[in-house]
Amino acid sequence: MTELRHRGKTENDLQHQQSEDKGSENEGKAEKDGASDSESKPDTGHPGVPVTADDTPEVLNKALSGLSSRWKNWWVRGILTLAMISFFFFIIYLGPMVLMLIVLCVQIKCFQEIIHIGYSVYHSYHLPWFRTLSWYFLLCVNYFFYGETVTDYFSNLVQREEPLRILSKYHRLISFAMYLTGFCMFVLSLVKKHYRLQFYMFGWTHVTLLIVVTQSHLIIHNLFEGMIWFIVPISCVICNDIMAYMFGFFFGRTPLIKLSPKKTWEGFIGGFFSTVVFGILLSYVMAGYSFFVCPVEFNSDHNSFEVDCEPSDLFQLQDYALPAALESLTGWPTLRLYPFQLHSISLSAFASLMGPFGGFFASGFKRAFKIKDFANTIPGHGGIMDRFDCQYLMATFVNVYIASFIRGPNPAKVVQQLLALRLDQQLHIFNSLKTHLTERGLLEEEA
């Protein structure tokens, strides 16, 4: 009886296994048919992705030919990092409007790199209008976001020019009409044998727009609040990237995460403390200059964009009492700091602790498609997206931080909105405000 039960159990297990194998075959067949109904090519998830070649300049290759690959990569990354930092300082010198254009160029290049990966994967299926629609949607989203930014921050310029006033009034309607046109074009481009892949790529484009364009729009918002809100967060991410690499290169022993095998706990911790100190020092230097702390505004008298203002309390030196333990250790009863320096600790901590997860996310994406870098634009560093994968997450945090803890009512913006109203509406608001101030005792009642 025991043997019969054993045989019966074995036969049942065999039938169950055969049933699972058959189900797996059917599922695999269904996926294959859905991926390309008329194509005989299976979709492995990463076909046709080009392998990036060695793009190191020949001059550097010859100069570093005697070094091991580890040290050669260290010198290449170091030299080009210094070159990129120098370029960053140069565009800062050119002012906020040039910085905005650079952000737009970086956004377009990052979008191109991600869309190119999708096209490289599925180009053999000849999906109609994929790249055309991707770039069209990029145009639509940028038109919407930049229009919103101009209307929000430079309403006095918009109200002064009749064409801009009309565009501002119907901006969202125009933006929606543009997007609706692209949506209809996508529906009309659907081909029966490629339905699933076309919707894959439609989602691919929109997720790319969400990650790249929306975040770059937030970067520009941070920039218009004052260049310090743009420079300090970006510099903290750069500092953390460099110091984590340095600590990991010389002291790294303990792997941090499987997605990035070269990342180590030693680099992660060393980068954190280095970035916090760097953020405090950089904030102290920049907080004393109105060029960095003043918001970008349009001056109607000079017909130009300016960054000139009376710095707010956030950028005025204040005395802070030290705890008893620190006072006994340093001998200082108080410490003179800019309030912004205290906020910079939060920015630096986020750049060190949460910012790297943007890089981990990008590493997982690249591993999914078995590629080393998004592109080979920068020798030793990969593509533009490889350098800005952490910046986009940082931009969102800074924007949320400003809205939650920093930004208050803006009297200048309120006045601009009032001046845009009809005269009878302005008079009504004036009388209401006058009555309110009189009741509060700030104005005397008329005899």
Side-chain angles (χ1 to χ4, degrees):
M1 289 295 291
T2 303
E3 183 179 354
L4 287 175
R5 283 197 299 267
H6 178 71
R7 288 178 59 189
K9 184 177 180 181
T10 304
E11 290 174 0
N12 289 336
D13 291 342
L14 182 60
Q15 290 175 359
H16 180 67
Q17 181 65 37
Q18 289 174 347
S19 176
E20 285 184 347
D21 294 342
K22 187 175 180 180
S24 300
E25 291 174 1
N26 291 336
E27 184 180 353
K29 184 178 179 181
E31 288 183 0
K32 180 177 177 181
D33 292 343
S36 59
D37 295 333
S38 65
E39 303 282 349
S40 60
K41 304 172 186 177
D43 182 8
T44 61
H46 47 80
V49 178
V51 179
T52 54
D54 182 15
D55 54 348
T56 307
E58 190 62 28
V59 177
L60 289 179
N61 271 329
K62 290 182 179 179
L64 305 174
S65 58
L67 300 176
S68 64
S69 59
R70 183 170 181 260
W71 279 100
K72 177 183 175 182
N73 182 62
W74 190 88
W75 278 104
V76 170
R77 288 175 64 95
I79 293 170
L80 291 171
T81 296
L82 291 176
M84 288 188 289
I85 291 175
S86 301
F87 177 71
F88 183 55
F89 286 147
F90 175 70
I91 61 175
I92 289 173
Y93 170 77
L94 295 178
M97 304 314 293
V98 175
L99 278 173
M100 184 186 73
L101 294 177
I102 294 296
V103 170
L104 176 61
C105 293
V106 168
Q107 173 219 111
I108 293 173
K109 186 63 175 72
C110 291
F111 182 84
Q112 181 269 331
E113 290 176 359
I114 298 177
I115 290 298
H116 179 69
I117 293 175
Y119 178 75
S120 299
V121 171
Y122 295 115
H123 75 280
S124 60
Y125 297 109
H126 305 292
L127 301 181
W129 298 0
F130 166 57
R131 287 196 295 184
T132 302
L133 284 174
S134 296
W135 287 103
Y136 177 78
F137 282 125
L138 176 67
L139 173 66
C140 294
V141 175
N142 270 315
Y143 175 81
F144 172 75
F145 279 133
Y146 276 88
E148 291 284 313
T149 300
V150 170
T151 302
D152 188 33
Y153 282 90
F154 310 115
S155 57
N156 55 344
L157 171 64
V158 172
Q159 296 301 322
R160 196 182 68 172
E161 302 292 337
E162 182 64 25
L164 290 179
R165 187 158 58 245
I166 295 174
L167 287 175
S168 174
K169 183 178 181 180
Y170 300 106
H171 172 67
R172 296 194 176 186
L173 177 63
I174 296 171
S175 301
F176 178 70
M178 291 175 64
Y179 180 82
L180 192 61
T181 301
F183 182 82
C184 293
M185 290 171 62
F186 168 75
V187 174
L188 293 175
S189 72
L190 290 173
V191 179
K192 184 177 180 180
K193 62 181 180 179
H194 293 319
Y195 283 159
R196 180 178 294 186
L197 280 180
Q198 285 183 283
F199 278 101
Y200 280 164
M201 303 318 295
F202 184 78
W204 183 292
T205 299
H206 280 69
V207 171
T208 304
L209 291 172
L210 176 65
I211 293 175
V212 175
V213 182
T214 305
Q215 311 303 320
S216 64
H217 171 69
L218 296 180
I219 290 177
I220 292 174
H221 268 225
N222 300 339
L223 172 63
F224 285 162
E225 293 291 334
M227 291 178 63
I228 196 169
W229 292 105
F230 171 85
I231 297 172
V232 169
I234 285 182
S235 300
C236 285
V237 172
I238 294 173
C239 174
N240 182 70
D241 191 34
I242 294 173
M243 297 310 297
Y245 177 76
M246 297 288 288
F247 275 91
F249 186 88
F250 290 106
F251 308 108
R253 295 291 182 272
T254 313
L256 176 63
I257 188 171
K258 291 183 179 179
L259 280 174
S260 296
K262 294 183 180 180
K263 299 288 193 302
T264 63
W265 276 104
E266 290 81 4
F268 185 77
I269 296 171
F272 169 76
F273 287 105
S274 301
T275 305
V276 171
V277 173
F278 171 81
I280 294 173
L281 296 177
L282 179 63
S283 299
Y284 181 82
V285 173
M286 296 184 64
Y289 297 91
S290 59
F291 177 74
F292 294 120
V293 304
C294 291
V296 182
E297 295 178 347
F298 181 78
N299 189 318
S300 301
D301 297 331
H302 298 87
N303 201 28
S304 62
F305 295 96
E306 295 182 353
V307 284
D308 187 23
C309 69
E310 182 67 28
S312 66
D313 293 339
L314 196 62
F315 305 105
Q316 302 287 348
L317 282 170
Q318 298 182 18
D319 291 324
Y320 292 90
L322 291 177
L326 288 178
E327 183 179 350
S328 61
L329 183 65
T330 61
W332 302 338
T334 61
L335 189 63
R336 197 165 176 77
L337 296 172
Y338 292 101
F340 181 80
Q341 289 181 271
L342 302 180
H343 293 289
S344 74
I345 297 175
S346 300
L347 302 180
S348 302
F350 185 90
S352 304
L353 300 178
M354 296 291 105
F357 281 86
F360 300 152
F361 178 85
S363 296
F365 181 88
K366 289 183 285 187
R367 283 178 173 273
F369 292 95
K370 298 190 181 300
I371 55 176
K372 181 182 178 183
D373 298 310
F374 283 95
N376 56 359
T377 309
I378 310 171
H381 291 269
I384 298 295
M385 190 65 196
D386 291 286
R387 293 299 90 209
F388 284 85
D389 46 12
C390 300
Q391 297 288 1
Y392 288 125
L393 198 60
M394 187 71 191
T396 304
F397 171 74
V398 173
N399 193 268
V400 171
Y401 190 88
I402 292 174
S404 302
F405 304 108
I406 305 300
R407 184 187 295 131
N410 188 338
K413 188 175 294 185
V414 173
V415 171
Q416 291 173 3
Q417 293 172 341
L418 288 176
L419 294 177
L421 299 175
R422 299 193 312 268
L423 292 178
D424 60 317
Q425 294 174 325
Q426 294 179 24
L427 185 60
H428 175 72
I429 292 175
F430 170 77
N431 290 327
S432 300
L433 183 60
K434 182 180 178 182
T435 302
H436 173 73
L437 293 177
T438 301
E439 292 175 352
R440 296 285 299 272
L442 299 175
L443 291 179
E444 294 182 359
E445 294 186 13
E446 295 182 356

